[in-house]
Amino acid sequence: FFLSLKLEKKTKEKLQKQICQVVLHHFEKQYTAELGDAWSSVRDVLTSPWCWQHAVLLNRFSQSPGLESSLAEQGYHPAFPAALPYLPAAFRCYSRTAPGRFPAQKHQPGRLKDYYLLNAASLLPVLALEVQDGEDVLDLCAAPGGKSVAILQCACPGHFQCNEYDDLRSRWLEQTMESFIPHPLINLITVSKLDGRQIGHLQPEFYDKILVDAPCSNDRSWLFSADPQQAVLRLMQRKELSSLQFQLLRSAVKALRPGGSLVYSTCTLSKAENSDVINLILNSCSNVVPLDISGMARGVSQEFTFLSGTQQHELLVLPEKGRAWGPMYVAKLKKVSST
């Protein structure tokens, strides 16, 4: 027992040293102002990787007998309740309150993986998008591919474009799709490397549903920036991210058909990259209206902690011990007419 306490103490000390103080100091100022009392418990989780949790999203295209019973034996339970407004039968995800990680599966050419390990909050944008069979769908910033894989657990789009501008991340995305999606279906998927800001011009009013999981200041990983100089550079560039996010969203609005909907998501707590970007789009695009996702939020309130006081078209998942999911911001919009 004392040995395990000693090991845990050593691990904590080691991780504590790795926390980037420059980033933490910046977050302290910003998030104390934006989140108030909620920040201290969020900070405790973000700076304590030993309490982080991982959910297990099952791959419906790979039969793995005994996997669900094995998960149950290890204390996993279905992460999403059946009472949700949108929860396709084939969509199966398991989580548990205990921290730790189910063993990862290596990529093997020609063999499909049985499950995808992820932060359960990252599935909320997919459930909010409500993709139906036959719809034309775009995942605008798709790498590493977890949300694209999750969309395909929900439905079979008529056409599915997974876009990733960065060359290295695009190859990662292709490998993810190869690992999870069988050949007949993979032929219906287009992996493109377009600048997301141009897609609206290139493919105007082409899609029924669009996911904009935008590049953002990833709070979890930024706190563990190994290089302080890189951290300072990131924090300087952070101010420019909201402009990029706005341009990506505006492009997505152009690429949407009238009547189509889009979901915007980030994995940051930053108001400038979340509700401020959405408000800017709503104020500058008269043909876009917010869609209520409060029903989904109520449906998953046992599993996730949300920031109070947000609008009905948005939610912000706050990590807390025992429910260490997030950060994850989600907002949903609908295009009501042509541009």
Side-chain angles (χ1 to χ4, degrees):
F1 172 72
F2 289 112
L3 184 66
S4 68
L5 272 182
K6 221 173 180 181
L7 277 171
E8 190 181 329
K9 190 170 181 240
K10 265 192 168 174
T11 310
K12 287 187 179 184
E13 282 168 3
K14 193 178 169 194
L15 287 164
Q16 212 60 43
K17 283 175 194 160
Q18 290 174 0
I19 291 168
C20 183
Q21 295 303 317
V22 179
V23 175
L24 184 59
H25 178 67
H26 183 89
F27 283 3
E28 284 284 357
K29 284 205 302 194
Q30 181 181 349
Y31 293 147
T32 300
E34 290 180 12
L35 303 175
D37 295 341
W39 166 240
S40 62
S41 60
V42 170
R43 180 193 57 216
D44 288 350
V45 173
L46 291 182
T47 55
S48 312
W50 58 87
C51 75
W52 293 2
Q53 293 157 256
H54 293 85
V56 183
L57 176 68
L58 270 50
N59 185 11
R60 68 173 170 141
F61 306 110
S62 169
Q63 300 306 313
S64 180
L67 177 56
E68 285 175 277
S69 55
S70 170
L71 286 164
E73 281 163 21
Q74 293 180 53
Y76 284 85
H77 59 271
F80 297 96
L84 278 180
Y86 172 86
L87 191 73
F91 185 89
R92 291 169 300 155
C93 181
Y94 288 84
S95 66
R96 62 176 183 180
T97 49
R101 190 178 181 136
F102 203 67
Q105 290 182 305
K106 284 193 169 71
H107 172 70
Q108 292 177 285
R111 176 142 191 259
L112 294 182
K113 290 187 181 182
D114 302 320
Y115 54 85
Y116 194 102
L117 300 177
L118 38 61
N119 184 319
S122 66
L123 293 170
L124 293 175
V126 172
L127 295 176
L129 196 60
E130 299 189 17
V131 173
Q132 307 294 335
D133 288 347
E135 289 182 323
D136 293 320
V137 181
L138 168 64
D139 188 349
L140 189 67
C141 315
K147 291 181 181 70
S148 294
V149 166
I151 285 169
L152 291 163
Q153 305 306 312
C154 295
C156 229
H159 173 70
F160 189 24
Q161 182 171 347
C162 304
N163 184 69
E164 180 53 54
Y165 185 48
D166 181 86
D167 202 46
L168 191 67
R169 285 172 64 82
S170 181
R171 287 203 293 277
W172 188 6
L173 170 64
E174 283 177 349
Q175 190 180 86
T176 301
M177 300 314 275
E178 260 175 54
S179 291
F180 285 91
I181 312 304
H183 272 290
L185 189 57
I186 218 159
N187 296 335
L188 303 173
I189 300 165
T190 306
V191 176
S192 58
K193 295 184 198 174
L194 301 168
D195 182 337
R197 295 168 293 187
Q198 303 302 320
I199 281 182
H201 298 297
L202 298 169
Q203 299 169 318
E205 303 196 343
F206 189 81
Y207 295 98
D208 301 300
K209 301 275 169 73
I210 298 178
L211 175 62
V212 184
D213 185 44
C216 68
S217 46
N218 182 326
D219 295 349
R220 277 189 192 235
S221 67
W222 280 29
L223 273 165
F224 293 88
S225 302
D227 180 356
Q229 286 176 309
Q230 184 198 39
V232 170
L233 187 66
R234 275 177 167 175
L235 290 170
M236 284 165 62
Q237 292 170 336
R238 195 179 197 206
K239 297 182 184 78
E240 296 158 27
L241 278 169
S242 55
S243 169
L244 170 64
Q245 290 153 349
F246 174 73
Q247 290 171 61
L248 289 169
L249 257 182
R250 196 170 53 184
S251 174
V253 169
K254 286 179 182 164
L256 260 188
R257 289 182 181 133
S261 56
L262 70 81
V263 167
Y264 173 77
S265 60
T266 73
C267 52
T268 180
L269 298 160
S270 175
K271 184 173 170 286
E273 298 176 52
N274 294 339
S275 50
D276 287 359
V277 173
I278 291 296
N279 290 337
L280 194 56
I281 277 287
L282 288 170
N283 291 332
S284 61
C285 298
S286 57
N287 60 338
V288 172
V289 295
L291 284 178
D292 187 352
I293 55 170
S294 59
M296 181 186 76
R298 278 193 304 274
V300 296
S301 58
Q302 292 299 306
E303 189 76 35
F304 301 95
T305 302
F306 298 108
L307 178 69
S308 58
T310 55
Q311 303 288 308
Q312 287 188 320
H313 62 274
E314 60 179 356
L315 56 85
L316 178 61
V317 179
L318 302 178
E320 70 170 31
K321 281 194 174 134
R323 300 200 283 189
W325 312 117
M328 181 59 57
Y329 175 80
V330 184
K332 189 171 185 179
L333 307 174
K334 181 179 179 176
K335 184 172 181 175
V336 289
S337 62
S338 289
T339 312

